[in-house]
Amino acid sequence: MSSKKTTKFIPQEIGSNLTISDAESKGLTHLEQEYRLLFESLDRDANGLISINELLQIFRDIGIRNDDPRLVLDFDSTLPTGDTLDAKENDYPLNFEQFKVILQQSQGNLVKNAIQGNLIVPDFKNFRAAIKRIYEKAKANKGGHVATYIPQLGRVNPEYFGVSICTIDGQRFSLGDYIIPFCVQSICKPINYCIALEEHGEHKVHQHIGREPSGIGFNGLVLNSKGLPHNPMINAGAIMACSLVKPTLDMADRFDYVLDTWTKLSGNIRAGFNNAVYLSERQTADRNFALGYFMRENKAFPESTNLIDTLEFYFQCCSIDVTAEAMAITAATLANAGICPTTGTRVLQPNTVKNCLSLMASCGMYDFSGEFAFTIGLPAKSGVAGGLMVVIPNLMGICIWSPRLDELGNSVRGIEFCKELVSTFNFHNFDSLTGGQSQKQDPRLHRNQSKIDSVISLCWAASEGDVLEVQHLVARGINFNEADYDGRTAMHLAASEGHTKVIEFLLSKGAIPNPKDRWGNTPLDDALRGNHQSVILLLEN
Ligand code: GLN
């Protein structure tokens, strides 16, 4: 866990029930005004105090955990923080000055954005409910078998099922066995590839590894026409990537470096190591040794590579242990172009992440990669311990862990979860092309955003007399009788401004001629007020 600064608050008698116009007249800075607005939105009885529990609940509702490293919430050493906080017993009034310290000390406008609902998934409550439904559905699937090539994987409880999600704003949601560590196995491949890219750059790395799907199993004994492994997401390429990770350091430091990278990628949740898995991997590694010798015979390795060290290092990386919760944050760091959402730290360069996601999208799912790209359309990487790391660029990272695998080595529930996910949400890479015709939800939008956008566009076009734009919007299927907050429709606005052509057009499409706004006025009332004769004539008929 990260270390958190502690702020000791001394309660003061500072009221805050200022309106913005008061604030302006008192010459408050823009920032101060903004703080006041946020405070007042929470100060229901305008008594200059807000409830800590309410604030914490706002964070939790939008998916920001109370132990989020970006938040500074230690109001008082006597106040417990975190999800276990007992709302009623420990409530504590917070005045404006105290609230301001939380705003100022917390990282990256997080508090402000959470209060304003300005995080990437604004309606996190509904999103959570949908994910829970998908989880329950996938849980019923008992298909597949745990990996048995080493006893340590064969003994894992096949019923384990954890799902964790982290958005690029650090909104988190987890279900099931999300705090039980599992072995990353092949999911070490994209991370080691990233580390190699950061160290040597794309050109050098791809002098040793190709970037084409291989079309054969992940441990296939085959190289491309240049005698190089096909890509870094299969064993041969992953062994090669290992040879490029900090090759000048000694073995212990190389491993530490990889472990530290996992830790940073997952918001400082410390990655572990499963020694028994490592020992077993090493003992059953004939194929990986064969791949290593085959590549050495083809002079594929960088000069002065120690083959045995490289293979040992690869087995160690496969034996790194993480939780679904940590892996979801890692995936979110990739979704966020290399900046960890929960710490704000840049761990990888954007170009590195772009390269890695490109190869995850084409080669990340063993022999199911093409099928996965077609049906799911997201960069992902699976491992034989049942982990599946999915990245939705610019939106979120997801980890699904369920040990039963299908015949290709992918988690059965993991695949099922993804299928259900993309049939519910518009997450497939190319869903943007079918937007208009699709029933899929977009959690990125405010609940009524698309409706609000259309109403605003239509009313605006009507008040401008822009018949062409009105026609465009109607062609997109907008309901032209929809009203804004004040009950004003496109008919009202066109009538107020005397835009006869717009009125004609709307009436010809079947618009209601006499809707009432919140003051009881019809478009005819508006036309009479503006003395727009031709509109009056049209509407009176
Ligand atoms: N340790 C396994 C191997 O190298 C990892 C494979 C995997 O997850 N597909 O064979």
Side-chain angles (χ1 to χ4, degrees), residues 149 184-187 189 218-219 235 281 288 314-315 318 366 381-385 409:
Y149 73 97
V184 299
Q185 290 291 354
S186 271
I187 311 175
K189 290 168 179 163
F218 65 93
N219 57 2
N235 285 20
E281 285 288 341
N288 287 324
Y314 169 68
F315 306 142
C318 287
Y366 308 130
K381 186 74 201 84
S382 56
V384 287

Side-chain angles (χ1 to χ4, degrees), residues 178-196:
Y178 57 89
I179 46 170
I180 295 179
F182 64 92
C183 249
V184 299
Q185 290 291 354
S186 271
I187 311 175
C188 74
K189 290 168 179 163
I191 305 305
N192 282 355
Y193 172 59
C194 284
I195 296 174

Side-chain angles (χ1 to χ4, degrees), residues 86-364:
D86 180 334
K88 288 202 185 56
E89 268 174 36
N90 296 306
D91 203 5
Y92 183 103
L94 210 57
N95 67 29
F96 178 66
E97 289 305 315
Q98 294 169 310
F99 173 71
K100 215 165 82 180
V101 177
I102 298 173
L103 273 165
Q104 289 167 335
Q105 297 198 346
S106 298
Q107 199 179 306
N109 285 334
L110 178 63
V111 177
K112 174 182 140 189
N113 288 335
I115 295 173
Q116 293 180 337
N118 270 335
L119 299 178
I120 190 82
V121 178
D123 188 359
F124 205 68
K125 262 189 169 171
N126 267 324
F127 178 70
R128 265 198 290 244
I131 293 298
K132 186 141 197 306
R133 273 196 304 278
I134 298 172
Y135 174 88
E136 294 301 342
K137 188 159 181 213
K139 192 172 182 183
N141 190 334
K142 310 254 178 189
H145 303 281
V146 299
T148 48
Y149 73 97
I150 55 172
Q152 281 65 29
L153 292 182
R155 287 199 286 262
V156 170
N157 178 357
E159 284 304 325
Y160 279 144
F161 186 27
V163 167
S164 186
I165 291 182
C166 176
T167 73
I168 57 164
D169 281 329
Q171 298 163 275
R172 291 165 64 192
F173 181 50
S174 303
L175 285 166
D177 303 305
Y178 57 89
I179 46 170
I180 295 179
F182 64 92
C183 249
V184 299
Q185 290 291 354
S186 271
I187 311 175
C188 74
K189 290 168 179 163
I191 305 305
N192 282 355
Y193 172 59
C194 284
I195 296 174
L197 282 176
E198 295 269 310
E199 195 177 344
H200 304 282
E202 182 182 321
H203 182 70
K204 162 85 178 155
V205 169
H206 286 291
Q207 282 176 341
H208 298 278
I209 314 176
R211 40 197 188 215
E212 278 294 336
S214 66
I216 47 137
F218 65 93
N219 57 2
L221 195 57
V222 60
L223 299 175
N224 70 16
S225 57
K226 293 184 187 149
L228 300 179
H230 283 85
N231 66 68
M233 304 298 157
I234 53 171
N235 285 20
I239 294 167
M240 185 57 72
C242 279
S243 77
L244 290 159
V245 171
K246 297 281 165 202
T248 57
L249 299 185
D250 63 38
M251 289 290 283
D253 286 338
R254 290 173 82 181
F255 183 69
D256 260 348
Y257 187 78
V258 173
L259 212 58
D260 279 350
T261 305
W262 271 99
T263 301
K264 283 188 198 140
L265 286 166
S266 61
N268 295 332
I269 299 178
R270 186 84 194 143
F273 176 66
N274 188 327
N275 194 45
V277 168
Y278 159 67
L279 294 170
S280 268
E281 285 288 341
R282 194 164 157 239
Q283 220 170 24
T284 52
D286 291 348
R287 176 56 68 94
N288 287 324
F289 274 94
L291 283 169
Y293 284 108
F294 189 29
M295 289 192 285
R296 191 164 80 178
E297 183 195 15
N298 278 277
K299 306 207 175 350
F301 283 108
E303 256 174 56
S304 68
T305 295
N306 178 322
L307 179 58
I308 303 302
D309 280 359
T310 301
L311 287 164
E312 290 275 326
F313 185 34
Y314 169 68
F315 306 142
Q316 287 162 8
C317 292
C318 287
S319 311
I320 288 174
D321 252 2
V322 300
T323 61
E325 207 172 34
M327 189 176 274
I329 300 176
T330 297
T333 303
L334 298 179
N336 199 29
I339 296 178
C340 176
T342 62
T343 59
T345 307
R346 174 166 295 290
V347 189
L348 298 169
Q349 293 305 311
N351 222 37
T352 297
V353 176
K354 182 189 131 205
N355 289 341
C356 179
L357 295 183
S358 304
L359 290 177
M360 280 167 67
S362 57
C363 319

